[in-house]
Amino acid sequence: MPDITQPNTPSQFTELLGTIQFVDQRLASHASRAVNTSLTVRNWLIGFYIVEFEQHGEDRAEYGDKLISKLGAELKGRGLRGVSQRELRRYRTFYMTYPEIRGSLTPEFHKLLPAGDLEKWEALAPISEPIRDSASPVSTADLLTRLSFTHIVEILRTDTAEKRDFYAAQCISGGWSVRELKRQIASQLFERSELSTDKAKLNELTNADAEIQPSSLTIRDPYIFEFLGLKPTEVMSESHLEDQLLDKLQEFLLELGEGFCFEARQKRILIGETHNFIDLVFYHRILKCHVLVELKLEQFSYENIGQLNTYVSWFDRNVRGEGDNPPVGILLCTERDKSLVEYALAGMDNSLFVSRYQLQLPSKETLRAQIEAERRRLESASEGGEP
């Protein structure tokens, strides 16, 4: 087995395999970091130019407090992504929170700043200055290259500079996923650390069970979707098996001939500050409602049905049109040799309404039999060596 930390000139076939694997992993990781860095710098620069215009723009008085809303509408009209009012305000906050990032920009990115800006900045602060005086200082270069912008969004929500520095340092050193970062902020790790008499022990315990961010999932960051213009369906599948099951389930429901009209796959919705993805979205022309389908390759849990209920309620409030009936959700949980189907209904107090839905939608037994049969076929094909 070749040393994966250093490529070798292969002389044996096994060394050739290892060397190619090394090159693939190293450059894929490099590409992922490059995309993340470019996205983070892009958002910082947007914030920079908004603040510069607010302070120095000759026609800034014309826009006043409506600058962000007008800017968002105009940019969206020009085909830009990730430029809603909410996001533009976030970029502005990002720049104002970390103006020192400009000292860590590479020459490539400095070309996007006004002429003479670097000279003015160098007179005020040294390049790559650590972020303030935290116990575990994080350089602005690390902030740009080792955290995704989604990590930074969560860090920006904390209310003091000390907390931001603390969570940035902990996130980088622990390699936390965004979900882990959110969990630690919610558990008040900063406050617990301040009160702890053995901070090293607390840090050890915290990272022992922490969820690590896999490099292969970086591209699935919702901000990356916007930045690269990717569709969630291109990269969101949890596994090859799930991807195939969703394909077959989509075909099955459309072939029923009972009013299902396909609308979206991996439909992205924003609930509060959190991006969510719904596996399949249909519109049922007979019931005149949306049907949301979630597939989980795991045992049923109340978290699953709670998540689907949240999606259904969100659709009921934000998507349901005039004359539409309340949306319905279908949850499919599947393990080997066992499947479970549950329905989630939004705002249906009328029992006649529920009965009507039950007549038009596939029964639990039908869905369970279809998903089990298709899973067995796919697993059998995989074991037999078929692609």
Side-chain angles (χ1 to χ4, degrees):
M1 197 59 191
D3 178 5
I4 62 171
T5 64
Q6 181 67 39
N8 302 309
T9 301
S11 59
Q12 301 290 333
F13 182 74
T14 54
E15 291 178 350
L16 175 62
L17 291 175
T19 301
I20 292 175
Q21 181 183 17
F22 164 81
V23 171
D24 176 82
Q25 292 173 345
R26 177 61 61 88
L27 293 183
S29 176
H30 175 76
S32 177
R33 287 196 303 272
V35 171
N36 268 318
T37 300
S38 295
L39 171 62
T40 302
V41 172
R42 172 256 200 186
N43 295 343
W44 184 89
L45 285 169
I46 291 174
F48 165 81
Y49 274 109
I50 289 174
V51 172
E52 286 291 298
F53 179 83
E54 288 174 332
Q55 294 178 350
H56 306 295
E58 294 182 2
D59 56 347
R60 63 188 183 280
E62 177 184 344
Y63 299 96
D65 295 336
K66 297 182 179 179
L67 171 64
I68 296 294
S69 60
K70 184 171 180 60
L71 185 61
E74 292 287 341
L75 291 173
K76 186 176 181 180
R78 296 189 179 199
L80 273 71
R81 298 170 180 268
V83 289
S84 66
Q85 294 182 44
R86 180 197 304 243
E87 298 303 338
L88 291 176
R89 290 192 180 93
R90 182 168 288 155
Y91 305 154
R92 183 179 182 274
T93 299
F94 180 32
Y95 166 72
M96 295 182 71
T97 303
Y98 295 112
E100 63 267 34
I101 279 178
R102 98 179 65 192
S104 293
L105 297 180
T106 63
E108 172 191 6
F109 293 125
H110 265 296
K111 295 177 182 178
L112 300 175
L113 289 170
D117 182 82
L118 178 59
E119 289 75 11
K120 289 189 295 182
W121 174 250
E122 287 177 334
L124 299 174
I127 293 179
S128 297
E129 179 184 6
I131 302 174
R132 288 172 288 276
D133 295 321
S134 57
S136 301
V138 177
S139 72
T140 52
D142 282 341
L143 192 73
L144 289 177
T145 60
R146 300 184 63 186
L147 292 178
S148 72
F149 188 69
T150 306
H151 284 99
I152 292 172
V153 167
E154 296 303 322
I155 290 170
L156 286 174
R157 291 198 182 109
T158 57
D159 56 9
T160 67
E162 290 75 17
K163 288 183 182 180
R164 289 191 291 271
D165 295 345
F166 173 83
Y167 285 114
Q170 291 291 321
C171 196
I172 289 173
S173 64
W176 292 349
S177 66
V178 174
R179 182 164 56 183
E180 183 66 26
L181 172 61
K182 293 170 69 173
R183 188 174 73 85
Q184 294 298 345
I185 293 175
S187 72
Q188 298 185 313
L189 177 62
F190 172 78
E191 288 80 2
R192 289 188 288 120
S193 179
E194 289 293 295
L195 295 172
S196 175
T197 57
D198 191 343
K199 290 180 172 53
K201 183 64 175 179
L202 175 62
N203 186 62
E204 180 183 343
L205 293 173
T206 297
N207 286 308
D209 299 319
E211 181 180 85
I212 306 303
Q213 177 73 37
S215 60
S216 60
L217 294 182
T218 303
I219 199 67
R220 298 174 61 179
D221 185 291
Y223 286 94
I224 296 291
F225 288 150
E226 296 281 9
F227 185 48
L228 298 182
L230 295 174
K231 297 179 180 179
T233 51
E234 297 179 63
V235 289
M236 276 301 295
S237 294
E238 292 290 341
S239 68
H240 185 55
L241 175 59
E242 181 179 350
D243 195 33
Q244 294 180 90
L245 284 174
L246 285 173
D247 281 341
K248 296 301 180 183
L249 183 62
Q250 179 179 324
E251 293 174 10
F252 171 70
L253 291 174
L254 292 175
E255 289 172 358
L256 285 177
E258 297 180 358
F260 282 96
C261 301
F262 177 72
E263 188 168 297
R265 173 91 166 255
Q266 295 294 353
K267 171 73 173 178
R268 190 180 75 170
I269 62 175
L270 184 64
I271 302 178
E273 298 288 338
T274 305
H275 293 275
N276 300 269
F277 296 86
I278 305 172
D279 287 337
L280 294 171
V281 178
F282 297 89
Y283 186 81
H284 201 287
R285 58 181 179 80
I286 298 175
L287 292 173
K288 296 188 182 304
C289 74
H290 281 94
V291 179
L292 317 180
V293 180
E294 277 288 292
L295 173 66
K296 302 293 184 182
L297 296 186
E298 60 189 27
Q299 186 177 5
F300 169 83
S301 70
Y302 289 106
E303 288 78 9
N304 296 148
I305 196 67
Q307 181 187 50
L308 181 58
N309 265 312
T310 300
Y311 295 166
V312 170
S313 298
W314 187 91
F315 252 75
D316 188 43
R317 178 176 299 180
N318 297 280
V319 180
R320 178 181 173 189
E322 185 176 353
D324 281 353
N325 290 318
V328 59
I330 302 175
L331 174 66
L332 301 170
C333 292
T334 176
E335 294 182 295
R336 185 179 296 275
D337 301 325
K338 183 179 179 182
S339 297
L340 178 113
V341 180
E342 287 291 331
Y343 286 88
L345 308 176
M348 293 187 199
D349 296 327
N350 189 326
S351 60
L352 294 178
F353 220 16
V354 176
S355 298
R356 184 184 174 200
Y357 275 52
Q358 290 174 341
L359 288 174
Q360 294 291 340
L361 295 175
S363 68
K364 293 183 180 181
E365 291 72 22
T366 299
L367 285 171
R368 184 183 298 117
Q370 173 68 19
I371 202 70
E372 285 184 351
E374 193 56 45
R375 187 193 59 197
R376 285 196 297 268
R377 187 190 69 80
L378 291 170
E379 290 178 342
S380 176
S382 176
E383 291 170 0
E386 294 182 23

